[in-house]
């Protein structure tokens, strides 16, 4: 993703028409920008079990909602690695006040971090937008920076097993057009295969409905006040409203084929 993309809170313009879908949702006040919602994040984090001794690296932390959950355990270190470099990043407010928490402006494929510097890597909704080759390169970087025995928690967009290759190609095209960023989900087996190719052993896998823009999920993810704020912001902004509704229509039209997947993989000792 380009670092030149518009800021979440940039000047009022027709920005809403061209923002990548997740930044549009963030601009409208949404904090959970991943397909399986906070429920899937909780399952992955429960299994990955962060503790105060962990050195955590998060790939693509977005506006910092998972960072907040990770920082709640007071880890020995938290590094967020994101290609996006903007001054008014809400993530910085989340990190403020935590002594060992820093945001590194880098591509997760080449973090510049030391070999074995982390005991836990977490990445959500940041691989789906990459080609399979780039997904693998990012997983290999997670493998490199993890110490032996380290855990890698992922949460991404998936295809259900009954998705044919033709349907997958068509859905990728429709999704990418609507959210204005490449969307290349894989089946559960496809994600697992890449993780294994990167050297990981998959310890846990889980899935959830892809219901990012459904009211029930929005309330679960954002809370009632956050849901009300999001609906209010979208309702009074015509270009944003049109785009959010188009995204929701595309998600609904393909709901039989889409899901969210979560994994915890381990770097062998
Ligand atoms: C869809 S948002 C997800 C944000 C957050 N993880 C969440 O689930 O709510 C994708 C995030 O990944 C970041 N990102 C995308 N490609 C990246 C890359 N190659 N390296 C690091 N960060 C990346 C984006 O800037 C953004 O913060």
């Amino acid at each position: 993703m380009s670092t030149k993309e518009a800021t979440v809170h940039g000047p009022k313009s027709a920005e809403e028409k061209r923002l990548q879908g997740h930044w549009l949702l963030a601009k409208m006040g949404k904090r959970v920008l991943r397909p399986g919602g906070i429920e899937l994040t909780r399952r992955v984090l429960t299994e990955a079990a962060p503790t105060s001794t962990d050195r955590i690296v998060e790939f693509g932390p977005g506006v910092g909602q998972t960072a907040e959950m990770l920082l709640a355990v007071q880890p020995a270190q938290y590094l967020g690695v994101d290609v996006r470099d903007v001054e008014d990043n809400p993530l910085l407010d989340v990190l403020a006040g935590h002594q060992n928490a820093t945001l590194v402006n880098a591509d997760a494929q080449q973090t510049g971090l030391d070999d074995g510097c982390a005991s836990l890597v977490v990445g959500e909704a940041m691989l789906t937008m990459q080609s399979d080759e780039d997904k693998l390169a990012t997983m290999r970087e997670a493998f490199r920076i993890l110490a032996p025995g380290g855990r890698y928690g992922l949460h991404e967009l998936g295809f259900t097993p009954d998705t044919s290759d033709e349907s997958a190609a068509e859905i990728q095209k429709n999704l990418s057009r609507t959210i204005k960023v490449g969307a290349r989900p894989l089946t559960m087996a496809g994600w697992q295969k890449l993780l294994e190719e990167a050297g990981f052993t998959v310890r846990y896998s889980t899935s959830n409905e892809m219901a990012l823009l459904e009211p029930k999920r929005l309330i679960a993810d954002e809370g009632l006040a956050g849901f009300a704020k999001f609906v209010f912001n979208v309702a009074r902004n015509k270009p944003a409203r049109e785009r959010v509704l188009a995204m929701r229509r595309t998600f609904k039209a393909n709901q039989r084929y889409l899901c969210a997947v979560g994994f915890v993989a381990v770097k062998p000792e």
Side-chain angles (χ1 to χ4, degrees), residues 128-159:
T128 299
M129 55 185 83
Q130 303 178 14
S131 67
D132 287 1
E133 203 183 14
D134 287 341
K135 287 179 177 81
L136 184 57
T138 303
M139 289 176 180
R140 287 199 162 122
E141 181 67 353
F143 191 87
R144 185 188 68 77
I145 64 172
L146 276 169
R151 301 93 78 209
Y152 180 25
L154 292 81
H155 173 170
E156 294 289 339
L157 190 59
F159 277 133

Side-chain angles (χ1 to χ4, degrees), residues 15-261:
E15 185 179 74
E16 287 81 357
K17 291 191 176 163
R18 59 187 165 77
L19 273 180
Q20 295 180 341
H22 49 280
W23 294 133
L24 175 71
L25 299 178
K27 184 172 178 176
M28 295 299 109
K30 188 153 176 35
R31 296 193 69 215
V32 176
L33 307 174
R34 63 208 90 118
I38 203 157
E39 185 191 333
L40 197 81
T41 299
R42 284 203 185 106
R43 282 191 231 156
V44 169
L45 293 191
T46 299
E47 186 64 28
T51 69
S52 59
T53 59
D54 271 314
R55 288 159 291 127
I56 301 176
V57 174
E58 186 181 5
F59 288 168
V63 294
Q65 201 269 348
T66 297
E68 209 169 286
M69 292 164 80
L70 292 166
L71 286 165
V73 305
Q74 307 279 354
Q77 167 201 281
Y78 170 93
L79 293 176
V81 175
D82 207 300
V83 279
R84 186 163 168 274
D85 183 23
V86 291
E87 278 172 16
D88 60 348
N89 188 344
L91 171 68
L92 297 176
D93 297 332
V94 172
L95 303 190
H98 290 274
Q99 264 183 355
N100 306 324
T102 316
L103 175 59
V104 179
N105 181 219
D107 190 314
Q109 274 184 41
Q110 277 183 303
T111 60
L113 301 175
D114 291 342
D115 289 2
C117 68
S119 57
L120 172 62
V121 173
V122 174
E124 298 181 289
M126 57 78 62
L127 292 173
T128 299
M129 55 185 83
Q130 303 178 14
S131 67
D132 287 1
E133 203 183 14
D134 287 341
K135 287 179 177 81
L136 184 57
T138 303
M139 289 176 180
R140 287 199 162 122
E141 181 67 353
F143 191 87
R144 185 188 68 77
I145 64 172
L146 276 169
R151 301 93 78 209
Y152 180 25
L154 292 81
H155 173 170
E156 294 289 339
L157 190 59
F159 277 133
T160 55
D162 52 349
T163 313
S164 66
D165 289 349
E166 299 80 60
S167 310
E170 188 61 23
I171 295 165
Q172 282 182 16
K173 207 168 74 191
N174 290 340
L175 275 178
S176 304
R177 195 185 310 125
T178 318
I179 63 177
K180 297 193 191 294
V181 62
R184 303 175 186 94
L186 296 174
T187 58
M188 198 86 159
W191 284 112
Q192 173 148 350
K193 188 163 168 272
L194 277 189
L195 281 165
E196 287 169 354
E197 215 171 316
F200 287 102
T201 303
V202 171
R203 188 173 83 186
Y204 171 77
S205 61
T206 182
S207 71
N208 203 9
E209 250 186 301
M210 160 53 178
L212 186 71
L213 294 176
E214 295 308 307
K216 196 171 152 207
R217 175 68 67 74
L218 282 164
I219 293 169
D221 283 353
E222 312 297 334
L224 258 183
F227 170 68
K229 179 175 142 197
F230 176 73
V231 171
F232 176 75
N233 288 342
V234 171
R236 69 187 181 136
N237 183 327
K238 189 162 177 257
R241 188 169 69 244
E242 286 172 357
R243 281 214 49 214
V244 171
L245 289 175
M247 282 162 63
R248 182 162 180 257
R249 273 195 304 274
T250 307
F251 295 157
K252 268 191 101 75
N254 296 298
Q255 72 185 10
R256 176 176 159 209
Y257 301 110
L258 293 175
C259 62
V261 297

